[in-house]
Amino acid sequence: MDVYLDYNATAPLRPEVASAMTAAFALCGNASSVHRFGRLARRAVEDARETIAVSVNAAAAEIVFTSGGTEANNLALRGSGRPVLISSIEHDSVRAARDDPGLIRVDSNGVVDLAHLEELLNAAETPLLVSVMLANNETGVVQPIDQVAALAKQFGALVHCDAVQALGKIPLSFAGLDVDMMSLSAHKLGGPQGVGALIIRDGLNLVPVQRGGGQERGRRAGTENIAGIAGFGAAAALAAQAVEAAPELVDMRDHIEARLRAAVPDAIIYGAEASRLPNTVCIGLPGVTNEVQVMALDLAGVAISAGSACSSGKLTPSHVLQAMGASDDAAASAIRVSLGWQTSAGDCERFIETWTALAKRRESCELPEQSVA
Ligand code: PLP
């Protein structure tokens, strides 16, 4: 049986989500229509909104449904109109949302440098938007968002937090973090792909990016994705339960890391000294590109991912690991293993055995020559 260890890319759909979506597919109304069919569709949307709001300690009216985390990040960064500061480890959907954002440094563990943030805020001539993710998708490193928010507010800045990788993995409270906006995506927690939300603090007005009808109280035009939203609601209803199961993931993650370190002493575990998501291992195997590792594991039936982006057939080293001080070669030899609700100890064992066997072949020079982009 194949082993899936790529939950940070997307998590398998939970059965409860599939049931909620099947029920929602049977609704034929448009949520904007006033007749009974429309009202039933509206009810499905509003019920999901309420459930999601409870799961992240926000008010239902603060939630704006989007087509996913990418759109939520774009709405936050483009809708505020302010110059932006982002951390140097943000997801591409934050990095590309605006031209020339200011970059906040991170330390060698991938934790945002608050002193550098203060320096940048001090130097700014106009009020800014600061965008820092809660948990990094490649390393799992969790950022001190409460401290980022407190500091930014001293300088009159707005704060956006990409919490896409956090929901369902660690406790998450919009009100508790005291940020102005927060992005979510359903498919990272066992919900469907193609739906997410931006939570916008009550009273904050953004310029809509998606324009047209008055859906989402004028903040995001377009007919609602009823089945997707219902599935998102069902996944969010399970988020607290998933967080409670996190200690099991921590045990599996720590076991994987201990075994890999023991078998391959020169392996590098990124973010190991920082607070991290329970489910994420980012590990480098010096001398073997992540491309080779991903392919070798895939051939053995184990799905993991490279910690870098592949565009036009060229694998570029991860900007996240580079920001943490990794060389191009080191960054290009790191993979990400991410666990989740269906992961078993047997799955971890399959990965450990396959990866350590690959590392042994490296020592006996049986691997193809490496070229690093
Ligand atoms: N932000 C982070 C941290 C992510 O990991 C991802 C997806 O990988 C996104 C944003 C984009 O979310 P979506 O796939 O829903 O567009």
Side-chain angles (χ1 to χ4, degrees):
M1 247 219 344
D2 287 346
V3 170
Y4 185 80
L5 297 176
D6 202 10
Y7 279 71
N8 287 10
T10 201
L13 204 74
R14 288 186 179 264
E16 297 88 339
V17 171
S19 307
M21 292 180 75
T22 304
F25 278 129
L27 300 171
C28 86
N30 183 318
S32 298
S33 300
V34 292
H35 48 63
R36 67 187 58 230
F37 296 93
R39 290 200 306 273
L40 284 174
R42 169 62 50 204
R43 166 76 62 83
V45 170
E46 298 313 321
D47 283 353
R49 198 190 305 276
E50 191 59 51
T51 307
I52 295 162
V54 169
S55 76
V56 296
N57 192 21
E62 293 176 314
I63 293 180
V64 174
F65 287 116
T66 65
S67 63
T70 298
E71 188 191 326
N73 286 341
N74 272 269
L75 176 56
L77 271 83
R78 292 162 66 189
S80 84
R82 294 182 175 203
V84 296
L85 289 180
I86 68 171
S87 86
S88 48
I89 55 162
E90 294 300 311
H91 186 264
D92 281 346
S93 54
V94 166
R95 279 153 47 90
R98 292 281 294 272
D99 294 332
D100 302 322
L103 286 183
I104 313 158
R105 282 195 297 262
V106 296
D107 66 17
S108 59
N109 270 302
V111 179
V112 76
D113 179 341
L114 293 169
H116 189 225
L117 170 60
E118 186 166 5
E119 229 176 83
L120 294 170
L121 285 164
N122 235 328
E125 283 160 11
T126 50
L128 301 176
L129 168 67
V130 174
S131 179
V132 177
M133 69 202 321
L134 185 48
N136 183 265
N137 44 302
E138 292 183 30
T139 59
V141 170
V142 175
Q143 303 298 322
I145 298 300
D146 47 350
Q147 292 177 57
V148 168
L151 184 57
K153 284 188 178 175
Q154 285 173 29
F155 291 85
L158 290 173
V159 181
H160 165 250
C161 177
D162 175 348
V164 162
Q165 291 290 347
L167 181 56
K169 294 175 185 152
I170 52 175
L172 181 58
S173 165
F174 176 68
L177 287 177
D178 201 21
V179 296
D180 299 289
M181 293 173 278
M182 187 166 92
S183 299
L184 305 174
S185 176
H187 72 107
K188 306 295 185 181
L189 64 145
Q193 297 176 348
V195 60
L198 182 67
I199 306 180
I200 306 172
R201 178 178 51 74
D202 186 30
L204 175 63
N205 289 319
L206 297 183
V207 178
V209 172
Q210 185 95 334
R211 298 172 199 192
Q215 291 93 347
E216 296 300 280
R217 298 190 16 239
R219 294 170 295 181
R220 195 273 187 181
T223 300
E224 293 87 346
N225 170 3
I226 308 287
I229 290 170
F232 187 6
L238 299 167
Q241 197 181 309
V243 171
E244 273 169 30
E248 287 166 37
L249 293 181
V250 171
D251 285 349
M252 288 195 271
R253 180 198 68 189
D254 290 352
H255 176 72
I256 290 175
E257 292 185 355
R259 293 272 303 279
L260 301 187
R261 274 190 212 271
V264 184
D266 64 335
I268 305 158
I269 295 177
Y270 291 94
E273 308 303 320
S275 160
R276 279 185 296 159
L277 291 176
N279 78 320
T280 309
V281 178
C282 180
I283 187 157
L285 178 58
V288 186
T289 62
N290 45 22
E291 202 177 3
V292 167
Q293 295 179 61
V294 169
M295 285 183 327
L297 284 152
D298 187 39
L299 284 173
V302 181
I304 53 109
S305 84
S308 33
C310 183
S311 60
S312 329
K314 187 169 174 248
L315 210 64
T316 51
S318 150
H319 69 274
V320 173
L321 302 183
Q322 286 179 320
M324 291 164 66
S327 67
D328 283 4
D329 283 6
S333 71
I335 55 161
R336 175 187 70 191
V337 182
S338 47
L339 323 176
W341 66 274
Q342 274 187 322
T343 307
S344 66
D347 294 338
C348 299
E349 202 55 38
R350 271 275 291 286
F351 164 70
I352 293 166
E353 280 168 14
T354 315
W355 192 83
T356 49
L358 177 72
K360 284 208 182 80
R361 278 163 59 203
R362 168 191 72 155
E363 276 140 35
S364 55
C365 299
E366 283 171 31
L367 289 168
E369 201 151 298
Q370 303 301 308
S371 70
V372 174

